[in-house]
Amino acid sequence: MQRIAVIGAGQMGSGIAQTIAQHGMDVLLSDRDISISEKAKTGIEQALGRLVGKGKIEIADAEAALARITPIADYAPMADAHLIIEAATENEAIKQAIFGEAGKVLAGDAIMASNTSSIPITRMANFTPDPARFIGLHFFNPVPVMGLIEIIPGLATSADTTARTRSFAESLGKQVVEVQDEPGFVVNRILIPMLNEAAFVLGQGTASIEDIDKGCRIGLNHPMGPLALADFVGLDTVLDIVRILQATTGDAKYRPAPLLVKYVEAGWLGRKTGRGFYDYTGEEPVPTR
Ligand code: CAA
Ligand code: NAD
């Protein structure tokens, strides 16, 4: 695969585009508005600049990677893409509308993939032109750093689509796990209840934000505590995933923590809005409770 389209230029779409470009492929990057994809490209330029500054990559390689990324305003240029990766907001209606639009230009042998964290692949396949060429391709945040990709074939996904998608994921230097299309796949099925539980623990006053995170960081040897990680993922995305787990399983154990709901309703979505369980507007993150 040489030309990849990425739809959604938020933190995941940006990381996916950067990683693909650093592996020598061309990327078309789109969002609701071209100004968002252009801003994302500027963010990628800064991320590549930091890698150059640390001596991790050569300046010529950073410039070449950046030149491979083209922000686009509409779907037409995606007709040339070998793979279209949807990485927009974790909302099924938004994704369905995107599949409808991208489906109109999807090339005859191209693959359409979703980076959804939790929405069933088999169900979303109905909104694509060819369910045999639709698959879950689940990256982890931050994409340039994290070594894993989950591949989730839906019921109708062909063996050829799965094999080509695996080969693409491996070409990015990532390890692949192939997962059945079950709620939350593997990693989020285990991770997201932990992040939600941390919000319950905080809401019950069991410990402070700092001590909940310190406990898990030091006691479990995790790189981030669960509240800091929830802020990193995005509290809106965490809540969307919790609700999808609850709806798709019907199991009350996935009910959202009231405090998580409250933070999202306040618009405190974590790092991306500058405030979640921590306030990120100063030099160091400061707990918000
Ligand atoms: N983009 C690119 N590179 C980044 C980065 C970013 N946003 N953040 C950090 N890095 C790089 C740094 O440049 C650094 O690289 P070098 O070692 O080559 O210099 C490296 O990552 C380590 O960074 P730092 O030293 O600044 O910070 P750290 O050691 O605290 O690591 C972290 C930062 C990698 C984010 C680490 O805290 C971590 O692994 N956290 C957990 C991340 C995690 O669990 N991700 C999965 C989330 S769940 C998910 O993605 C699925 C879903 O559907 C919700
Ligand atoms: P984000 O909020 O950072 O970015 C979402 C982007 O989608 C925004 O730029 C938004 O403008 C764009 N968007 C919304 N509607 C659109 C439309 N109709 N057309 C094109 N673009 C549109 O969210 P994110 O964290 O990048 O998450 C994106 C997807 O990746 C979600 O499905 C999420 O569940 C999944 N995901 C997130 C993480 C994570 O840690 N945040 C990890 C793996 C997968």
Side-chain angles (χ1 to χ4, degrees):
M1 292 188 189
Q2 186 49 40
R3 181 179 283 253
I4 317 293
V6 178
I7 305 172
Q11 55 178 339
M12 292 307 289
S14 296
I16 293 168
Q18 178 185 328
T19 303
I20 294 171
Q22 283 189 262
H23 285 80
M25 291 167 262
D26 297 324
V27 189
L28 301 168
L29 183 57
S30 84
D31 203 291
R32 288 176 288 117
D33 189 286
I34 188 143
S35 65
I36 302 176
S37 357
E38 280 167 348
K39 193 168 160 221
K41 186 169 175 179
T42 304
I44 294 169
E45 184 174 10
Q46 288 163 353
L48 290 167
R50 282 193 295 274
L51 291 174
V52 172
K54 284 182 181 175
K56 301 273 175 193
I57 59 173
E58 297 295 328
I59 191 158
D61 292 334
E63 283 170 358
L66 197 65
R68 287 186 202 107
I69 300 172
T70 309
I72 54 170
D74 60 21
Y75 289 87
M78 296 183 200
D80 289 340
H82 303 113
L83 169 67
I84 298 180
I85 303 173
E86 173 280 313
T89 308
E90 187 74 346
N91 173 298
E92 199 161 352
I94 290 176
K95 291 184 190 294
Q96 285 171 6
I98 289 172
F99 298 141
E101 291 302 315
K104 289 182 195 157
V105 300
L106 185 74
D109 61 348
I111 292 172
M112 193 182 290
S114 175
N115 182 50
T116 180
S117 296
S118 56
I119 304 172
I121 300 301
T122 302
R123 193 162 82 201
M124 290 201 292
N126 291 318
F127 297 88
T128 70
D130 181 4
R133 285 184 286 130
F134 181 67
I135 192 161
L137 181 63
H138 185 213
F139 291 83
F140 290 81
N141 186 15
V143 179
V145 177
M146 303 300 280
L148 182 71
I149 293 180
E150 285 181 320
I151 288 184
I152 309 105
L155 198 57
T157 307
S158 71
D160 175 65
T161 297
T162 304
R164 285 159 66 203
T165 305
R166 173 183 281 272
S167 145
F168 165 74
E170 287 173 349
S171 77
L172 300 178
K174 307 292 190 194
Q175 303 271 338
V176 171
V177 290
E178 197 175 314
V179 177
Q180 294 302 307
D181 184 23
E182 296 292 338
F185 317 132
V186 166
V187 176
N188 281 340
R189 169 78 180 277
I190 297 165
L191 171 70
I192 296 298
M194 183 180 79
L195 305 191
N196 190 39
E197 200 63 24
F200 271 116
V201 169
L202 178 64
Q204 285 164 2
T206 312
S208 66
I209 290 176
E210 274 170 319
D211 280 354
I212 291 168
D213 276 352
K214 185 175 172 185
C216 292
R217 254 193 353 263
I218 299 173
L220 299 174
N221 216 8
H222 287 184
M224 283 176 169
L227 298 170
L229 182 54
D231 274 358
F232 186 62
V233 167
L235 300 188
D236 52 341
T237 304
V238 173
L239 180 59
D240 286 337
I241 302 170
V242 173
R243 287 189 163 140
I244 291 160
L245 285 171
Q246 187 185 31
T248 50
T249 62
D251 192 330
K253 78 178 176 183
Y254 298 113
R255 73 217 179 283
L259 194 59
L260 176 62
V261 175
K262 197 180 270 189
Y263 270 68
V264 172
E265 285 176 351
W268 295 13
L269 306 183
R271 281 184 187 245
K272 63 184 166 189
T273 56
R275 186 161 51 178
F277 291 117
Y278 295 84
D279 186 319
Y280 298 92
T281 52
E283 293 260 301
E284 291 290 327
V286 177
T288 49
R289 278 169 79 93

